[in-house]
Amino acid sequence: MSAVIYIDTDAIRPVVDGKWHHARLTHVPEPGEAITMLCGASSTAEFERSNRRDDHGAPHMCWDCDLVYRREHDMDVWPGHPALSRVPVPHPRSKTSRKSRKQQRHEQ
């Protein structure tokens, strides 16, 4: 008889650059498989035993993933949630310059 190990993909929290994220996983990713987090960050899957977790320092929550997760699951988002205070910063190569964005805000 074999031992079946059930893995809840909703409980998987990928850690990228010291932040733990949420991802919409439909299966356990294969090593090297691309994963996109709720915040939009992407990385490839890699696995380590949980006793190695402290080797890299304690991970911190990705507040952007947390905000998306809370909204998708109809959970409360408190007014001081760290992701709410962030103003999206466009990519430096975007076609809209800072001056024109500033003018757009002034016109509103």
Side-chain angles (χ1 to χ4, degrees):
M1 180 175 359
S2 61
V4 178
I5 299 171
Y6 294 99
I7 299 173
D8 180 0
T9 55
D10 288 336
I12 296 173
R13 301 288 179 257
V15 177
V16 180
D17 294 330
K19 290 184 181 179
W20 62 270
H21 296 263
H22 291 276
R24 291 181 199 95
L25 298 174
T26 57
H27 62 280
V28 176
E30 296 292 326
E33 184 177 339
I35 302 171
T36 301
M37 314 318 153
L38 296 184
C39 66
S42 294
S43 193
T44 55
E46 182 180 310
F47 295 88
E48 285 190 13
R49 294 188 178 276
S50 61
N51 64 354
R52 302 264 337 261
R53 187 179 336 191
D54 293 338
D55 294 352
H56 307 286
H60 301 279
M61 181 185 312
C62 172
W63 290 110
D64 296 317
C65 279
D66 181 69
L67 181 63
V68 173
Y69 182 85
R70 287 175 174 280
R71 287 179 172 165
E72 286 183 356
H73 291 86
D74 294 322
M75 297 170 70
D76 289 338
V77 176
W78 65 96
H81 191 284
L84 292 175
S85 63
R86 296 202 182 102
V87 176
V89 178
H91 192 278
R93 295 183 193 146
S94 77
K95 294 179 182 177
T96 308
S97 69
R98 287 189 181 272
K99 184 177 179 182
S100 63
R101 282 194 309 277
K102 195 179 217 182
Q103 288 172 341
Q104 288 173 358
R105 281 194 299 263
H106 180 69
E107 292 171 359
Q108 290 177 348

